Amino acid sequence: MNIKVIGVGKLKEKYLKDGIAEYAKRMSKFGKFDIIEVPDEKAPEQLSDAQMQQVMQKEGERILGKIKDREYVFALAIKGKERSSEELAAEISKLALQGDSDITFIIGGSLGLHPDVLARADAQISFGRFTLPHQLMRLVLSEQIYRAFMINAHSPYHK
């Protein structure tokens, strides 16, 4: 199985990099796990609606350029469907059984995801209504993907 996480912006904090690297190492026994960073669009602090849309569009084009046609795509979005760890594990297992072995998760930048990215997604997933820094979200998502694989492997890790 090939799992890819596409995130906007460069990960800066060492502790986040270290945590993600640990989960990537653990994931290697289940398949390939990649984190793809696309540049965030520089923008002034105060943006008009038009400027916000322009920033999201440019970031969205960069994201879409990293997705292949055959990939099953989960977009992380506040309005997405909340899932338990067990539900995500079951969904990943079902995708694998259907032959969808290339799964991509997308984390947008500080303004969110452009509608074109959401339209490309096969599913939208939410980690709740609270806001997390998108860099921290990469670590949280990496752990949850690893947890899903451990659930599917009937490992005691999940307990």
Side-chain angles (χ1 to χ4, degrees):
M1 179 151 271
N2 297 312
I3 302 289
K4 178 168 58 179
V5 175
I6 300 173
V8 174
K10 190 152 188 68
L11 202 57
K12 296 173 183 87
E13 289 83 2
K14 184 180 182 325
Y15 73 96
L16 294 174
K17 289 179 183 178
D18 291 347
I20 292 168
E22 177 62 28
Y23 288 113
K25 184 175 88 177
R26 293 180 187 189
M27 285 286 300
S28 66
K29 66 182 173 185
F30 299 109
K32 193 173 177 192
F33 181 78
D34 288 315
I35 302 278
I36 308 292
E37 293 180 341
V38 298
D40 54 348
E41 188 64 22
K42 303 299 177 222
E45 197 67 33
Q46 298 296 320
L47 295 173
S48 68
D49 286 346
Q51 289 171 314
M52 284 177 63
Q53 287 301 316
Q54 191 174 30
V55 167
M56 288 174 28
Q57 181 177 0
K58 287 181 181 177
E59 290 175 350
E61 288 168 359
R62 292 175 187 142
I63 291 167
L64 292 171
K66 301 292 182 187
I67 301 171
K68 296 180 178 72
D69 289 343
R70 70 180 191 284
E71 294 174 11
Y72 189 92
V73 176
F74 286 98
L76 274 65
I78 289 174
K79 293 180 181 177
K81 179 184 174 203
E82 290 185 34
R83 291 161 174 80
S84 67
S85 297
E86 295 85 358
E87 289 169 332
L88 179 61
E91 201 162 351
I92 288 172
S93 179
K94 181 180 172 188
L95 289 169
L97 289 172
Q98 292 172 345
D100 291 312
S101 61
D102 295 317
I103 300 174
T104 297
F105 292 85
I106 300 170
I107 303 170
S110 59
L111 298 177
L113 293 169
H114 189 269
D116 290 348
V117 176
L118 295 173
R120 168 56 184 92
D122 296 289
Q124 292 184 28
I125 188 168
S126 172
F127 278 72
R129 292 176 37 201
F130 49 80
T131 301
L132 289 173
H134 55 277
Q135 294 188 0
L136 177 59
M137 194 64 230
R138 287 187 210 175
L139 177 60
V140 173
L141 177 61
S142 297
E143 191 281 334
Q144 283 298 300
I145 294 168
Y146 175 70
R147 181 177 297 274
F149 277 89
M150 295 305 283
I151 291 169
N152 290 338
H154 307 290
S155 166
Y157 173 84
H158 175 59
K159 301 295 180 223

